[in-house]
Amino acid sequence: MSEATKPPADVTELKGILASRALKLPKQLEQVARLALARPDVVAFGSARSIATACSVSPTTVTRLATALGFDSFRDFKLFFQQHLRRTANSESGGCF
């Protein structure tokens, strides 16, 4: 796997990649990326279809974004955001539930 197709390690890295324009995305893919960063819960708990509906794009576009960012599948993309939310929740609660 080349460096260009390696998925980001965390959301901060993903934001940096998108902000720096290191990865040029078509308009529809960028719409989905913006939603993912603004509302990671929508990706973490949604389906490709529900995310696509929220962005007025096709479910295929959501999957294409996942692979463009270096993820092997939409499922891996979704897990990335689930892990992000888990880490965020743990840090906000001090790690205790």
Side-chain angles (χ1 to χ4, degrees):
M1 184 178 284
S2 74
E3 191 64 30
T5 59
K6 182 179 160 221
D10 56 32
V11 170
T12 302
E13 185 179 335
L14 176 57
K15 286 179 182 177
I17 291 167
L18 296 174
S20 70
R21 298 281 189 194
L23 178 65
K24 180 69 177 149
L25 296 174
K27 182 181 175 188
Q28 289 186 328
L29 295 184
E30 189 167 325
Q31 282 177 243
V32 178
R34 288 182 185 278
L35 172 78
L37 293 175
R39 297 281 317 276
D41 57 306
V42 171
V43 177
F45 304 112
S47 64
R49 182 174 303 281
S50 67
I51 297 163
T53 299
C55 296
S56 301
V57 298
S58 73
T60 304
T61 300
V62 176
T63 303
R64 282 189 4 244
L65 174 65
T67 56
L69 294 174
F71 295 96
D72 290 331
S73 65
F74 169 71
R75 185 176 187 279
D76 290 341
F77 183 60
K78 184 174 170 141
L79 285 170
F80 172 82
F81 282 97
Q82 289 173 353
Q83 291 168 350
H84 165 69
L85 292 177
R86 200 171 292 123
R87 281 191 302 269
T88 302
N90 284 341
S91 68
E92 289 174 358
S93 68
C96 298
F97 287 99

